[in-house]
Amino acid sequence: MRQTMDRERNQTPTPGLSRGEALFDTCVPCHGADGGGNETLAAPTIAGLPQWYVEAQLRKFQAGHRGGTAFDTTGIRMKAMSWSLDLEGDLESVAEYVASLSSVTPEVTVQGNAQAGQAAFQTCVACHGPAAQGMEPLGAPPLVGQSDWYMLAQLRKFKSGMRGADPEDVSGGTMRPNALLLDDQAMLDVVAYIQTLR
């Protein structure tokens, strides 16, 4: 009897979509049951993001490449949550489940000049693609369908060094110099343009 209990206690749950769905319960309070996000909690839309991107970001949080600066309170919160994915296959399972969720269309909350933003977006095309669909080989996520307030917040984090300054964060380090070129108005404009690509 004791051997059976020890074996059951030490058995790792089977990775996959079902495991990911169970693990996603810890994500729901911030990101919502549909993965649609919550601006009040600074939790972005994650539903339908590519599995590779979700995995990469969770690994960055676990390693401290994201959420590692003192003033990045939302990043610190997410870093702590990522540590709960401590069993083999957990990270991949939750990423698979997030990718399986139906994409949602966030409401537009940021006002900018989309025409000016289109010109500024030309520097983004090389990594994120002309339709902002992202490029896995470059570690560049899709931007289309993401909450505009979140994109604006991330541009500001890249510019301030809260994100993309860690030398181990290669894709973030590629993004940061581009954010440094944008003033506040240009950030509003490029985000406004991305919203026209839905």
Side-chain angles (χ1 to χ4, degrees):
M1 174 79 166
R2 177 169 177 140
Q3 286 180 328
T4 302
M5 288 174 61
D6 287 344
R7 195 170 38 245
E8 287 175 359
R9 187 174 34 234
N10 294 326
Q11 188 175 16
T12 302
T14 304
L17 206 54
S18 294
R19 175 72 179 153
E21 183 175 10
L23 290 166
F24 190 73
D25 283 348
T26 62
C27 310
V28 169
C30 294
H31 294 284
D34 65 351
N38 183 329
E39 183 176 3
T40 304
L41 299 175
T45 300
I46 57 174
L49 281 173
Q51 183 174 344
W52 64 265
Y53 181 71
V54 177
E55 286 183 20
Q57 297 315 299
L58 287 171
R59 285 194 178 95
K60 285 183 185 185
F61 281 118
Q62 286 184 339
H65 306 317
R66 285 191 68 179
T69 60
F71 297 104
D72 185 6
T73 54
T74 56
I76 291 167
R77 182 179 66 216
M78 187 62 213
K79 179 172 70 170
M81 292 301 297
S82 74
W83 290 339
S84 70
L85 303 173
D86 58 348
L87 297 178
E88 185 178 344
D90 278 1
L91 188 147
E92 295 82 0
S93 296
V94 78
E96 181 182 0
Y97 181 73
V98 168
S100 78
L101 292 171
S102 296
S103 298
V104 297
T105 304
E107 64 179 271
V108 173
T109 63
V110 171
Q111 301 301 314
N113 181 330
Q115 186 174 0
Q118 182 175 14
F121 184 75
Q122 296 316 301
T123 60
C124 311
V125 169
C127 293
H128 293 282
Q133 295 292 334
M135 293 189 195
E136 181 178 358
L138 300 176
L143 303 175
V144 67
Q146 184 51 263
S147 302
D148 53 9
W149 60 264
Y150 180 74
M151 286 189 285
L152 183 60
Q154 296 314 295
L155 284 170
R156 289 174 175 158
K157 282 187 179 186
F158 278 117
K159 188 167 184 173
S160 72
M162 280 190 207
R163 189 169 175 191
D166 188 301
E168 298 297 319
D169 183 4
V170 176
S171 58
T174 302
M175 180 61 208
R176 186 158 189 256
N178 292 300
L180 289 169
L181 298 173
L182 302 173
D183 61 22
D184 281 348
Q185 187 60 53
M187 288 182 186
L188 290 168
D189 294 344
V190 76
V191 167
Y193 172 69
I194 292 167
Q195 295 310 306
T196 70
L197 299 175
R198 297 178 176 195

